[in-house]
Amino acid sequence: MDRKKRSRPEVNFISGLLAGLNNVIICAPLDTARTRLQIQGLYEKSYSGTANTLSIIYKTEGIRGLYQGSSVSILAYPLSWSLYFIIYEQLKLTTRDYTSNSLYSNIISASGAGLISTVVTNPLWLIRVRLQAQREKVSSGWEIGKNLVQKEGFLSLYRGFTASLLGIGHVIIYFPMYECFKEYMYNGYEPTLVGVLISSWVPKVCASAVSYPHELIRARMYTHDVAQDKRFCGFRGLVKYTFATEGLKGFYGGFFTNLFRILPSTFVTLYTYEKVRYFLEHN
């Protein structure tokens, strides 16, 4: 079957949308724990490790605490993944008209999709992290966004954007590796559980080991109150402050919790995406 005919935009959109929803439902507690561990270097040090963090959140805040920020995640993840996949697949088709090198095509496509999805969804990630961190005692993500805009202007919703842009390096490493593994594991045939597991996990561990510091810096930028906290200013200031107070280790706070989160999260997302996409393309 012709590749261009099969890779219809609506197929990638629906597949990415359902993949994002599954991600939120299954992985939200680990997402909340990861965020708390990432930001505690700036504030109180209340947590140590994944199990301890989940336990403290549950004891002090209940189930609701574990799913803090999910009201925004339920919008952010599906929007981000559906937008990413539709742009990624379309860019692959376009770039392959100009180059026969699939690696170059995948790198360019991952970069473009990552850039556009980051520009669109950065405000949502900022609001979600603030909800998870409970730095703002407000009732909803809408209130956080509204307060930020009123106090600091619309561009305050793009705090941490520089760190988010560095995250494009993650997808540049991850998706070309994923494409190579995917081609080897099932190459156009119906995706299998084991095939997606290996294809999604090995590249994810490699990409995360390289790019994790940007996630930590981004989370701290998202929660930083520039009006009240004068210990540092901006992205470069935060990088210097983190290194001075915590050393290199400080850039990997919550890394193993992040692995516990992203490995099942990545598998759930890509398994859902690949299975839904295969079904829609063959029915």
Side-chain angles (χ1 to χ4, degrees), residues 33 36-37 40 45-56 254 257:
R36 299 284 180 95
L37 284 165
Q40 70 172 347
K45 295 202 173 185
S46 306
Y47 311 109
S48 59
T50 308
N52 172 262
T53 304
L54 291 170
S55 176
I56 290 175
T257 299

Side-chain angles (χ1 to χ4, degrees), residues 1 36 51 97 102 104 127 137 154-155 170 173 193 282:
M1 190 180 294
R36 299 284 180 95
D97 288 337
S102 61
Y104 291 161
I127 292 168
K137 301 300 181 182
F154 177 78
L155 290 181
H170 180 95
I173 297 170
L193 188 147
H282 292 82

Side-chain angles (χ1 to χ4, degrees), residues 21-275:
L21 285 172
N22 251 3
N23 186 314
V24 175
I25 294 167
I26 296 173
C27 303
L30 286 171
D31 201 23
T32 302
R34 185 274 307 258
T35 296
R36 299 284 180 95
L37 284 165
Q38 284 179 333
I39 67 170
Q40 70 172 347
L42 292 184
Y43 305 105
E44 74 290 341
K45 295 202 173 185
S46 306
Y47 311 109
S48 59
T50 308
N52 172 262
T53 304
L54 291 170
S55 176
I56 290 175
I57 294 173
Y58 177 73
K59 288 177 181 177
T60 57
E61 302 167 44
I63 291 291
R64 183 177 181 180
L66 293 174
Y67 283 85
Q68 190 77 19
S70 292
S71 59
V72 177
S73 295
I74 207 74
L75 173 61
Y77 273 110
L79 176 61
S80 177
W81 279 114
S82 60
L83 188 62
Y84 184 90
F85 280 123
I86 193 172
I87 296 170
Y88 178 66
E89 293 296 337
Q90 289 304 117
L91 283 176
K92 279 201 301 182
L93 290 176
T94 302
T95 54
R96 286 177 185 179
D97 288 337
Y98 297 94
T99 177
S100 58
N101 190 311
S102 61
L103 177 61
Y104 291 161
S105 174
N106 293 338
I107 289 175
I108 294 169
S109 302
S111 303
L115 175 62
I116 295 171
S117 62
T118 296
V119 171
V120 173
T121 60
N122 192 83
L124 293 174
W125 299 127
L126 182 148
I127 292 168
R128 184 202 58 154
V129 167
R130 290 204 167 203
L131 281 170
Q132 290 175 328
Q134 290 195 324
R135 306 302 304 176
E136 302 263 355
K137 301 300 181 182
V138 295
S139 59
S140 68
W142 171 257
E143 289 295 323
I144 289 178
K146 185 175 72 172
N147 289 342
L148 269 172
V149 172
Q150 288 177 345
K151 292 177 182 177
E152 303 173 39
F154 177 78
L155 290 181
S156 65
L157 295 176
Y158 281 86
R159 182 175 301 147
F161 185 67
T162 302
S164 294
L165 287 180
L166 292 178
I168 295 174
H170 180 95
V171 296
I172 290 175
I173 297 170
Y174 178 74
F175 274 96
M177 287 185 68
Y178 172 69
E179 294 285 356
C180 291
F181 274 85
K182 185 172 75 169
E183 183 175 351
Y184 177 77
M185 295 302 298
Y186 49 91
N187 193 24
Y189 293 97
E190 183 171 4
T192 63
L193 188 147
V194 173
V196 177
L197 192 70
I198 295 173
S199 301
S200 62
W201 280 16
V202 175
K204 199 67 175 179
V205 171
C206 296
S208 296
V210 174
S211 67
Y212 183 76
H214 104 271
E215 293 190 34
L216 181 138
I217 293 298
R218 180 180 62 185
R220 294 185 176 190
M221 288 291 293
Y222 283 168
T223 58
H224 181 228
D225 187 335
V226 294
Q228 301 295 326
D229 189 350
K230 303 297 184 182
R231 289 175 293 176
F232 55 87
C233 179
F235 173 79
R236 293 177 63 182
L238 176 54
V239 171
K240 291 179 181 178
Y241 176 83
T242 301
F243 181 74
T245 56
E246 302 173 68
L248 288 175
K249 184 179 178 182
F251 293 99
Y252 282 86
F255 176 70
F256 291 106
T257 299
N258 186 59
L259 281 185
F260 286 137
R261 180 194 71 89
I262 63 171
L263 292 183
S265 170
T266 301
F267 169 72
V268 166
T269 300
L270 290 175
Y271 186 72
T272 303
Y273 173 77
E274 296 290 359
K275 293 292 280 188

